[in-house]
Amino acid sequence: MLVPHRNFNLINEIRDSDIFAVTYPKSGTIWMQQILTPIEAKGDVTPNTEHLNAQRVPWIELIGSEKEFNATPSTRLWVTHLQYKFMPLAVRQKRGKVIYVARNPKDVLVSYYHFHKYAAMLEMPKDFNDFFEKFMEGKVFGNCWFEHIKTWYANRDNMNFLYITYEEMIKDLRSMVERMCRFLGKDLTEEQMASVVEHSTLRTMKQNPQANYKTVPDSLLDHKGTFMRKGMHVTPWTIGDWKNHFTVAQSERFDSVFQEKMRDLPLSFTWDIN
Ligand code: A3P
């Protein structure tokens, strides 16, 4: 399991060129790992087929030592599920750049439920209802979804911060890659841009073993399940799958908790919560 094993506030060797993709689990993390490398490599997708996501865009939670962190050459691409308060202080003082990807939490919950069923390092849920309760209480790895998005978004002015959603990426991947490039100050040619987009579709990623954990040992992931749960169909299957899982009562309860917890957040969500 990805467990923060040290105080990341101590890591202050953050460079202005550092790029952090921040997600709550199941919100498009691996997708960001897939996209950021070829953006940085000006459309070259070779590293994506030759190296694991976690080698190209490592988890800061899993960095072995501060020395290792500091020794990594620029441009450093990082990914993390950490809650805001655990981020290195320098990131919270505008060093580096942060791209936060949010996803409809109901779909996050469903995706996470299925992931628990085949990820050996996570506790097998008794059933969907059991997992629903744990998620609502934040008793899952990654803690509380509501806290995660609230604290990251509320502190956006302390960082160089871009907020995007999984749903926007599904609807128009090209525009979102362009937006990321503008934010990161990367000027890609038409051909380079097309290469990034083509290699970041669900269809391409499903066929790339490096992109969907196919090389992770069976002891960690039961490969009878699949990381990219859905087939080649992108919409509507990865948006709104919660409707196939939630009862009406669960949906209504979720909506009311959502309204309550998100009340003070000056953010209009682009996903269809209902
Ligand atoms: P589902 O379980 O709903 O299929 P993370 O990487 O944060 O764990 O998120 C995993 C989710 O992102 C999975 O959702 C997976 O299918 C989806 N995903 C990964 N790459 C994608 C892509 N290129 N297009 C659409 N969805 C993608």
Side-chain angles (χ1 to χ4, degrees):
M1 200 199 295
L2 300 170
V3 179
H5 56 88
R6 59 201 307 281
N7 184 350
F8 287 89
N9 290 327
L10 295 178
I11 298 180
N12 280 311
E13 292 288 324
I14 303 297
R15 303 173 194 155
D16 287 330
S17 58
D18 281 341
I19 299 166
F20 297 86
V22 179
T23 58
Y24 186 84
K26 314 318 290 176
S27 303
T29 324
I30 206 166
W31 203 359
M32 287 303 293
Q33 288 174 308
Q34 182 81 2
I35 291 171
L36 287 178
T37 313
I39 286 183
E40 185 53 37
K42 293 258 178 190
D44 181 4
V45 295
T46 326
N48 277 17
T49 50
E50 291 183 346
H51 303 290
L52 280 172
N53 284 323
Q55 290 165 337
R56 295 181 283 101
V57 189
W59 298 87
I60 60 173
E61 291 90 318
L62 297 182
I63 294 294
S65 68
E66 197 161 346
K67 200 167 154 204
E68 191 186 324
F69 184 85
N70 295 341
T72 310
S74 299
T75 301
R76 302 187 298 189
L77 306 174
W78 306 106
V79 71
T80 185
H81 290 325
L82 286 178
Q83 295 274 350
Y84 175 76
K85 63 186 174 196
F86 293 121
M87 280 303 276
L89 188 59
V91 174
R92 299 182 269 142
Q93 294 171 339
K94 289 199 188 275
R95 298 294 297 271
K97 292 192 167 78
V98 172
I99 302 179
Y100 187 97
V101 187
R103 183 182 186 186
N104 182 337
K106 290 180 174 176
D107 284 334
V108 168
L109 191 156
V110 168
S111 177
Y112 213 5
Y113 165 66
H114 288 288
F115 186 61
H116 274 67
K117 290 199 288 184
Y118 80 98
M121 65 279 195
L122 296 172
E123 191 188 349
M124 175 76 82
K126 271 203 287 264
D127 50 33
F128 183 74
N129 192 48
D130 172 55
F131 187 78
F132 179 91
E133 295 302 332
K134 288 204 166 87
F135 185 93
M136 296 305 278
E137 290 170 38
K139 290 188 175 161
V140 289
F141 171 70
N143 297 55
C144 176
W145 179 88
F146 301 98
E147 270 315 297
H148 199 275
I149 191 163
K150 266 170 80 168
T151 49
W152 275 100
Y153 196 80
N155 287 289
R156 66 197 177 284
D157 292 340
N158 299 335
M159 297 170 277
N160 295 310
F161 189 79
L162 177 68
Y163 172 88
I164 58 177
T165 65
Y166 176 94
E167 289 74 18
E168 289 172 301
M169 288 167 70
I170 290 276
K171 282 181 191 141
D172 189 350
L173 182 57
R174 162 86 191 218
S175 299
M176 296 316 289
V177 173
E178 284 172 359
R179 195 186 295 178
M180 287 182 223
C181 287
R182 277 197 299 279
F183 172 69
L184 298 173
K186 305 286 177 197
D187 198 9
L188 269 55
T189 64
E190 178 56 39
E191 199 184 339
Q192 291 166 345
M193 181 65 71
S195 170
V196 176
V197 173
E198 169 54 29
H199 283 81
S200 307
T201 62
L202 192 59
R203 183 185 298 272
T204 313
M205 285 175 63
K206 276 183 86 85
Q207 288 158 0
N208 176 6
Q210 308 289 14
N212 59 83
Y213 293 146
K214 284 288 179 223
T215 52
V216 169
D218 288 354
S219 56
L220 290 177
L221 284 183
D222 168 5
H223 289 292
K224 290 200 282 295
T226 168
F227 191 78
M228 315 280 178
R229 280 187 311 125
K230 300 301 175 182
M232 295 303 180
H233 313 283
V234 175
T235 44
W237 301 105
T238 53
I239 296 185
D241 194 24
W242 66 267
K243 291 174 188 166
N244 301 318
H245 292 74
F246 280 43
T247 62
V248 172
Q250 282 171 334
S251 179
E252 286 176 0
R253 193 168 130 220
F254 196 105
D255 288 348
S256 100
V257 172
F258 184 93
Q259 303 305 343
E260 167 64 23
K261 300 235 188 212
M262 298 291 121
R263 205 180 37 204
D264 301 327
L265 208 61
L267 182 61
S268 60
F269 294 99
T270 53
W271 55 71
D272 167 23
I273 193 79
N274 295 309

